[in-house]
Short mmCIF file of all heavy atoms in Angstrom, two decimals:
data_model
loop_
_atom_site.label_atom_id
_atom_site.label_comp_id
_atom_site.label_asym_id
_atom_site.label_seq_id
_atom_site.Cartn_x
_atom_site.Cartn_y
_atom_site.Cartn_z
N ALA W 1 0.83 -1.20 0.00
CA ALA W 1 0.00 0.00 0.00
C ALA W 1 0.87 1.26 0.00
O ALA W 1 0.57 2.22 -0.72
CB ALA W 1 -0.93 0.00 1.21
N THR W 2 1.93 1.25 0.79
CA THR W 2 2.83 2.41 0.82
C THR W 2 3.50 2.62 -0.53
O THR W 2 3.62 3.75 -1.02
CB THR W 2 3.89 2.24 1.91
OG1 THR W 2 3.24 2.09 3.19
CG2 THR W 2 4.82 3.44 1.97
N LEU W 3 3.92 1.52 -1.15
CA LEU W 3 4.54 1.61 -2.48
C LEU W 3 3.56 2.22 -3.48
O LEU W 3 3.93 3.10 -4.27
CB LEU W 3 4.99 0.22 -2.94
CG LEU W 3 5.51 0.14 -4.39
CD1 LEU W 3 6.76 0.99 -4.56
CD2 LEU W 3 5.79 -1.32 -4.77
N ARG W 4 2.32 1.76 -3.47
CA ARG W 4 1.32 2.28 -4.42
C ARG W 4 1.02 3.76 -4.13
O ARG W 4 0.80 4.54 -5.06
CB ARG W 4 0.04 1.45 -4.34
CG ARG W 4 0.20 0.02 -4.86
CD ARG W 4 0.42 0.02 -6.36
NE ARG W 4 0.55 -1.33 -6.87
CZ ARG W 4 1.70 -1.90 -7.22
NH1 ARG W 4 2.84 -1.22 -7.12
NH2 ARG W 4 1.73 -3.13 -7.67
N ALA W 5 1.01 4.14 -2.87
CA ALA W 5 0.77 5.55 -2.55
C ALA W 5 1.92 6.42 -3.05
O ALA W 5 1.70 7.52 -3.56
CB ALA W 5 0.60 5.72 -1.04
N ILE W 6 3.14 5.92 -2.92
CA ILE W 6 4.31 6.65 -3.43
C ILE W 6 4.23 6.77 -4.95
O ILE W 6 4.46 7.85 -5.52
CB ILE W 6 5.61 5.94 -3.00
CG1 ILE W 6 5.81 6.09 -1.49
CG2 ILE W 6 6.82 6.48 -3.76
CD1 ILE W 6 6.95 5.25 -0.93
N GLN W 7 3.87 5.68 -5.61
CA GLN W 7 3.73 5.72 -7.07
C GLN W 7 2.61 6.67 -7.47
O GLN W 7 2.72 7.37 -8.48
CB GLN W 7 3.45 4.31 -7.60
CG GLN W 7 4.64 3.37 -7.46
CD GLN W 7 4.27 1.93 -7.76
OE1 GLN W 7 3.10 1.54 -7.66
NE2 GLN W 7 5.26 1.12 -8.10
N GLY W 8 1.53 6.72 -6.68
CA GLY W 8 0.45 7.64 -6.96
C GLY W 8 0.90 9.09 -6.84
O GLY W 8 0.51 9.94 -7.65
N ALA W 9 1.72 9.38 -5.84
CA ALA W 9 2.23 10.75 -5.67
C ALA W 9 3.12 11.13 -6.84
O ALA W 9 3.07 12.27 -7.32
CB ALA W 9 3.00 10.85 -4.35
N ARG W 10 3.91 10.20 -7.32
CA ARG W 10 4.77 10.48 -8.48
C ARG W 10 3.91 10.74 -9.73
O ARG W 10 4.21 11.63 -10.53
CB ARG W 10 5.72 9.31 -8.72
CG ARG W 10 6.84 9.24 -7.67
CD ARG W 10 7.71 8.03 -7.87
NE ARG W 10 8.78 7.99 -6.88
CZ ARG W 10 9.34 6.87 -6.43
NH1 ARG W 10 8.93 5.70 -6.89
NH2 ARG W 10 10.30 6.93 -5.52
N LEU W 11 2.86 9.94 -9.89
CA LEU W 11 1.97 10.16 -11.03
C LEU W 11 1.32 11.53 -10.94
O LEU W 11 1.19 12.24 -11.94
CB LEU W 11 0.90 9.06 -11.07
CG LEU W 11 -0.20 9.22 -12.12
CD1 LEU W 11 0.39 9.28 -13.53
CD2 LEU W 11 -1.22 8.09 -12.02
N ALA W 12 0.91 11.92 -9.73
CA ALA W 12 0.29 13.24 -9.55
C ALA W 12 1.27 14.34 -9.96
O ALA W 12 0.88 15.33 -10.59
CB ALA W 12 -0.14 13.41 -8.10
N ARG W 13 2.52 14.18 -9.60
CA ARG W 13 3.52 15.18 -9.99
C ARG W 13 3.67 15.21 -11.50
O ARG W 13 3.80 16.28 -12.10
CB ARG W 13 4.87 14.84 -9.33
CG ARG W 13 5.97 15.82 -9.70
CD ARG W 13 5.70 17.19 -9.12
NE ARG W 13 6.62 18.19 -9.62
CZ ARG W 13 6.39 18.97 -10.66
NH1 ARG W 13 5.25 18.86 -11.32
NH2 ARG W 13 7.28 19.87 -11.05
N GLU W 14 3.66 14.05 -12.12
CA GLU W 14 3.77 13.99 -13.58
C GLU W 14 2.56 14.61 -14.27
O GLU W 14 2.66 15.12 -15.39
CB GLU W 14 3.95 12.54 -14.04
CG GLU W 14 5.29 11.94 -13.61
CD GLU W 14 5.40 10.46 -13.94
OE1 GLU W 14 4.43 9.91 -14.48
OE2 GLU W 14 6.45 9.86 -13.65
N LEU W 15 1.42 14.58 -13.58
CA LEU W 15 0.21 15.19 -14.14
C LEU W 15 0.23 16.71 -14.04
O LEU W 15 -0.68 17.38 -14.52
CB LEU W 15 -1.03 14.64 -13.43
CG LEU W 15 -1.37 13.17 -13.70
CD1 LEU W 15 -2.46 12.69 -12.76
CD2 LEU W 15 -1.79 12.97 -15.14
N GLY W 16 1.25 17.25 -13.39
CA GLY W 16 1.35 18.69 -13.26
C GLY W 16 0.73 19.23 -11.98
O GLY W 16 0.56 20.44 -11.85
N CYS W 17 0.39 18.35 -11.04
CA CYS W 17 -0.27 18.78 -9.81
C CYS W 17 0.74 19.34 -8.81
O CYS W 17 1.92 18.96 -8.82
CB CYS W 17 -1.01 17.61 -9.16
SG CYS W 17 -2.25 16.85 -10.22
N THR W 18 0.26 20.21 -7.94
CA THR W 18 1.09 20.75 -6.87
C THR W 18 0.86 20.02 -5.55
O THR W 18 1.74 20.02 -4.68
CB THR W 18 0.80 22.24 -6.67
OG1 THR W 18 -0.60 22.42 -6.43
CG2 THR W 18 1.20 23.03 -7.91
N VAL W 19 -0.32 19.41 -5.40
CA VAL W 19 -0.69 18.73 -4.16
C VAL W 19 -1.38 17.42 -4.49
O VAL W 19 -2.16 17.35 -5.45
CB VAL W 19 -1.65 19.59 -3.30
CG1 VAL W 19 -2.03 18.87 -2.02
CG2 VAL W 19 -1.02 20.94 -2.98
N VAL W 20 -1.10 16.39 -3.70
CA VAL W 20 -1.84 15.14 -3.82
C VAL W 20 -2.39 14.78 -2.43
O VAL W 20 -1.68 14.87 -1.43
CB VAL W 20 -0.96 13.99 -4.36
CG1 VAL W 20 0.25 13.72 -3.47
CG2 VAL W 20 -1.78 12.71 -4.52
N GLY W 21 -3.66 14.44 -2.39
CA GLY W 21 -4.30 14.04 -1.14
C GLY W 21 -4.46 12.53 -1.08
O GLY W 21 -4.66 11.87 -2.10
N LEU W 22 -4.37 11.98 0.11
CA LEU W 22 -4.52 10.55 0.32
C LEU W 22 -5.89 10.32 0.96
O LEU W 22 -6.12 10.74 2.10
CB LEU W 22 -3.41 10.01 1.23
CG LEU W 22 -1.98 10.27 0.74
CD1 LEU W 22 -0.96 9.75 1.75
CD2 LEU W 22 -1.75 9.62 -0.62
N GLY W 23 -6.79 9.68 0.23
CA GLY W 23 -8.15 9.52 0.69
C GLY W 23 -8.42 8.16 1.30
O GLY W 23 -7.74 7.17 1.00
N ALA W 24 -9.45 8.10 2.15
CA ALA W 24 -9.90 6.86 2.78
C ALA W 24 -8.73 6.11 3.41
O ALA W 24 -7.98 6.68 4.20
CB ALA W 24 -10.65 6.00 1.77
N PHE W 25 -8.51 4.84 3.03
CA PHE W 25 -7.46 4.07 3.69
C PHE W 25 -6.05 4.44 3.22
O PHE W 25 -5.08 4.08 3.87
CB PHE W 25 -7.72 2.58 3.50
CG PHE W 25 -8.78 2.05 4.40
CD1 PHE W 25 -10.12 2.16 4.05
CD2 PHE W 25 -8.48 1.51 5.62
CE1 PHE W 25 -11.12 1.72 4.88
CE2 PHE W 25 -9.47 1.06 6.47
CZ PHE W 25 -10.79 1.16 6.11
N TRP W 26 -5.94 5.16 2.11
CA TRP W 26 -4.62 5.67 1.72
C TRP W 26 -4.11 6.64 2.78
O TRP W 26 -2.89 6.81 2.93
CB TRP W 26 -4.69 6.38 0.37
CG TRP W 26 -5.00 5.52 -0.79
CD1 TRP W 26 -6.06 5.64 -1.65
CD2 TRP W 26 -4.25 4.39 -1.27
NE1 TRP W 26 -6.02 4.66 -2.61
CE2 TRP W 26 -4.92 3.88 -2.40
CE3 TRP W 26 -3.08 3.75 -0.84
CZ2 TRP W 26 -4.46 2.78 -3.12
CZ3 TRP W 26 -2.62 2.65 -1.55
CH2 TRP W 26 -3.31 2.17 -2.66
N SER W 27 -5.01 7.31 3.50
CA SER W 27 -4.59 8.34 4.45
C SER W 27 -3.81 7.79 5.63
O SER W 27 -3.16 8.56 6.35
CB SER W 27 -5.82 9.11 4.95
OG SER W 27 -6.67 8.26 5.70
N VAL W 28 -3.88 6.49 5.85
CA VAL W 28 -3.18 5.92 7.01
C VAL W 28 -1.93 5.15 6.62
O VAL W 28 -1.20 4.68 7.50
CB VAL W 28 -4.12 5.01 7.83
CG1 VAL W 28 -5.29 5.81 8.36
CG2 VAL W 28 -4.62 3.82 7.01
N VAL W 29 -1.65 4.99 5.33
CA VAL W 29 -0.47 4.22 4.93
C VAL W 29 0.78 5.09 5.03
O VAL W 29 0.71 6.32 5.01
CB VAL W 29 -0.61 3.67 3.49
CG1 VAL W 29 -1.89 2.88 3.34
CG2 VAL W 29 -0.54 4.78 2.46
N GLY W 30 1.93 4.43 5.15
CA GLY W 30 3.20 5.15 5.18
C GLY W 30 3.27 6.17 6.29
O GLY W 30 3.66 7.31 6.08
N GLU W 31 2.88 5.72 7.51
CA GLU W 31 2.85 6.61 8.67
C GLU W 31 1.98 7.84 8.38
O GLU W 31 2.36 8.98 8.59
CB GLU W 31 4.26 7.04 9.09
CG GLU W 31 5.13 5.87 9.53
CD GLU W 31 6.54 6.31 9.92
OE1 GLU W 31 6.79 7.54 9.99
OE2 GLU W 31 7.38 5.45 10.16
N LYS W 32 0.78 7.56 7.88
CA LYS W 32 -0.21 8.59 7.54
C LYS W 32 0.36 9.64 6.59
O LYS W 32 0.14 10.84 6.75
CB LYS W 32 -0.74 9.24 8.82
CG LYS W 32 -1.51 8.27 9.70
CD LYS W 32 -2.24 8.96 10.83
CE LYS W 32 -3.10 7.96 11.59
NZ LYS W 32 -3.86 8.58 12.70
N GLY W 33 1.06 9.14 5.57
CA GLY W 33 1.54 10.00 4.50
C GLY W 33 2.96 10.50 4.66
O GLY W 33 3.56 10.99 3.70
N ARG W 34 3.54 10.34 5.83
CA ARG W 34 4.88 10.89 6.07
C ARG W 34 5.94 10.23 5.17
O ARG W 34 6.78 10.91 4.57
CB ARG W 34 5.27 10.72 7.54
CG ARG W 34 6.48 11.57 7.93
CD ARG W 34 6.87 11.32 9.38
NE ARG W 34 5.77 11.58 10.28
CZ ARG W 34 5.44 12.80 10.71
NH1 ARG W 34 6.11 13.85 10.28
NH2 ARG W 34 4.44 12.96 11.54
N LEU W 35 5.88 8.91 5.05
CA LEU W 35 6.85 8.21 4.21
C LEU W 35 6.63 8.53 2.73
O LEU W 35 7.58 8.55 1.94
CB LEU W 35 6.75 6.70 4.44
CG LEU W 35 7.07 6.20 5.85
CD1 LEU W 35 6.96 4.68 5.92
CD2 LEU W 35 8.47 6.65 6.27
N VAL W 36 5.39 8.76 2.35
CA VAL W 36 5.09 9.13 0.96
C VAL W 36 5.73 10.48 0.64
O VAL W 36 6.33 10.66 -0.42
CB VAL W 36 3.57 9.17 0.72
CG1 VAL W 36 3.25 9.52 -0.72
CG2 VAL W 36 2.93 7.82 1.09
N GLN W 37 5.58 11.43 1.56
CA GLN W 37 6.16 12.76 1.34
C GLN W 37 7.68 12.69 1.25
O GLN W 37 8.30 13.35 0.41
CB GLN W 37 5.74 13.71 2.46
CG GLN W 37 6.28 15.12 2.32
CD GLN W 37 5.69 15.85 1.13
OE1 GLN W 37 4.65 16.48 1.25
NE2 GLN W 37 6.33 15.78 -0.02
N GLU W 38 8.30 11.87 2.10
CA GLU W 38 9.76 11.74 2.07
C GLU W 38 10.23 11.12 0.76
O GLU W 38 11.30 11.49 0.24
CB GLU W 38 10.22 10.89 3.25
CG GLU W 38 10.04 11.57 4.61
CD GLU W 38 10.38 10.65 5.77
OE1 GLU W 38 10.73 9.46 5.51
OE2 GLU W 38 10.30 11.09 6.93
N ALA W 39 9.44 10.20 0.20
CA ALA W 39 9.83 9.53 -1.04
C ALA W 39 9.61 10.41 -2.26
O ALA W 39 10.30 10.25 -3.27
CB ALA W 39 9.06 8.21 -1.19
N VAL W 40 8.65 11.33 -2.18
CA VAL W 40 8.34 12.20 -3.32
C VAL W 40 8.31 13.66 -2.85
O VAL W 40 7.24 14.27 -2.73
CB VAL W 40 6.99 11.81 -3.97
CG1 VAL W 40 6.85 12.45 -5.35
CG2 VAL W 40 6.82 10.31 -4.07
N PRO W 41 9.47 14.23 -2.59
CA PRO W 41 9.50 15.61 -2.07
C PRO W 41 9.11 16.66 -3.11
O PRO W 41 8.88 17.81 -2.76
CB PRO W 41 10.96 15.79 -1.64
CG PRO W 41 11.73 14.82 -2.49
CD PRO W 41 10.82 13.65 -2.70
N GLU W 42 8.99 16.26 -4.40
CA GLU W 42 8.66 17.22 -5.47
C GLU W 42 7.20 17.66 -5.45
O GLU W 42 6.82 18.58 -6.16
CB GLU W 42 8.97 16.62 -6.84
CG GLU W 42 10.41 16.18 -7.03
CD GLU W 42 10.67 14.78 -6.50
OE1 GLU W 42 9.69 14.10 -6.12
OE2 GLU W 42 11.84 14.36 -6.47
N ILE W 43 6.37 17.01 -4.65
CA ILE W 43 4.95 17.36 -4.58
C ILE W 43 4.52 17.35 -3.12
O ILE W 43 5.10 16.62 -2.30
CB ILE W 43 4.09 16.37 -5.41
CG1 ILE W 43 2.65 16.87 -5.53
CG2 ILE W 43 4.13 14.97 -4.82
CD1 ILE W 43 1.82 16.07 -6.52
#
């Protein structure tokens, strides 16, 4: 789940987004988004 959330954040950055939100159960993965942010600091 954390890997997919990280990949989702990278896709969001590629889509030209400035912010990506983690909804429903994504919101609790990767220490509630902290690990996702560390893996994808560009967004």
Side-chain angles (χ1 to χ4, degrees):
T2 301
L3 173 63
R4 292 291 181 257
I6 290 171
Q7 291 169 338
R10 287 176 179 151
L11 174 59
R13 179 67 189 93
E14 293 174 359
L15 291 170
C17 302
T18 55
V19 179
V20 59
L22 304 177
F25 283 85
W26 293 121
S27 65
V28 298
V29 306
E31 298 179 8
K32 295 190 174 181
R34 194 183 303 278
L35 297 181
V36 181
Q37 181 67 88
E38 291 175 358
V40 195
E42 302 85 7
I43 190 171

